Amino acid sequence: MTEVPATVIVIDDDPAIREALGSLLRSVGFDVKLLASVNDFLKSGRPDGPTCLVLDVRLPGQSGLEFQRELSRENIRLPIVFITGHGDIPMSVQAMKGGAIEFLTKPFRDQDLLDAVHVGLARDRVWLENEKALATLYASYESLTPREREVMVLVVAGRLNKQIAADLGVSEITVKVHRSQVMQKMRAKSLPELARMADKLRQASEKPQDS
């Protein structure tokens, strides 16, 4: 299966800076999208593969920092490297507290930007891989029947087959059949692995869902 290429999205309202950054990033092999505003990004959407934003702090309309806060409120994870010609310490602190990869003041070294982008893309790859693994886990869980889900909950809680049978009012043989089906459908090789899967599902259900 072909890996989806990484993309760097540059959002800066200065055409000369956009083009210069685009040339730099393309020179090291990145796919690059150049945009003039946050609104342009919202219209085009993010690519499917690993993505990193190179975002100017001061933009027409919604500023870079305002956009970062909006992403945080919506629980959308997207690595951001801030660039600015008018940075100050409170602004940089706010950006970094908001989860920015880096806060670079123009003029900055090309290598500093490239290093920050590499970090951002690596972070996004991990996020995307985790999301894919969780989606696969959800699909496996959704394939369970209601009774199999009941058995799974009791199994990972440490209940024995005999106890589960009494809890559910079924025979111990029936519990063993359901338990075997749970292990097979969840692709769990052991009880500890099934317990870890259940814990991941529980943790994910307690988090706000990404928009």
Side-chain angles (χ1 to χ4, degrees):
M1 185 175 178
T2 304
E3 184 177 342
V4 180
T7 303
V8 183
I9 301 176
V10 177
I11 306 180
D12 195 303
D13 61 330
D14 186 323
I17 292 177
R18 278 203 310 274
E19 291 301 328
L21 293 176
S23 296
L24 170 65
L25 293 163
R26 290 189 186 101
S27 73
V28 294
F30 290 127
D31 284 352
V32 180
K33 182 184 289 187
L34 303 179
L35 303 172
S37 68
V38 168
N39 192 48
D40 289 344
F41 172 79
L42 295 175
K43 288 178 181 177
S44 63
R46 67 162 289 167
D48 292 331
T51 303
C52 181
L53 280 184
V54 176
L55 183 61
D56 193 7
V57 172
R58 298 178 186 274
L59 291 166
Q62 190 176 35
S63 74
L65 288 174
E66 289 170 344
F67 184 47
Q68 182 191 39
R69 287 194 293 269
E70 180 180 338
L71 290 174
S72 179
R73 284 195 301 270
E74 297 296 328
N75 197 38
I76 298 173
R77 292 179 296 192
L78 192 59
I80 297 175
V81 176
F82 278 108
I83 56 175
T84 181
H86 312 280
D88 55 38
I89 292 176
M91 190 182 292
S92 64
V93 169
Q94 180 182 341
M96 299 305 288
K97 280 187 174 180
I101 302 297
E102 186 58 273
F103 189 94
L104 301 173
T105 302
K106 305 170 188 174
F108 45 79
R109 293 173 59 247
D110 289 351
Q111 193 59 49
D112 289 341
L113 175 65
L114 295 175
D115 289 346
V117 166
H118 277 294
V119 171
L121 290 173
R123 185 176 297 180
D124 203 41
R125 281 191 187 92
V126 172
W127 286 341
L128 292 174
E129 287 169 4
N130 288 342
E131 287 176 0
K132 183 178 179 181
L134 186 59
T136 300
L137 192 58
Y138 266 123
S140 297
Y141 182 73
E142 289 296 320
S143 73
L144 300 180
T145 65
R147 178 64 86 187
E148 287 166 353
R149 293 179 191 180
E150 289 180 316
V151 170
M152 177 176 168
V153 169
L154 294 169
V155 166
V156 299
R159 303 285 284 173
L160 301 175
N161 289 343
K162 185 183 296 185
Q163 294 170 320
I164 295 173
D167 291 339
L168 300 180
V170 298
S171 70
E172 192 172 344
I173 292 176
T174 299
V175 171
K176 289 179 180 179
V177 171
H178 286 315
R179 182 170 180 157
S180 175
Q181 285 293 100
V182 168
M183 298 295 285
Q184 181 180 341
K185 290 182 179 181
M186 294 300 295
R187 300 183 180 89
K189 297 181 177 63
S190 65
L191 181 55
E193 185 178 7
L194 184 67
R196 287 193 294 272
M197 291 176 175
D199 192 49
K200 286 180 182 178
L201 290 168
R202 178 186 58 77
Q203 290 177 4
S205 69
E206 292 173 353
K207 292 179 181 178
Q209 296 300 303
D210 289 0
S211 298

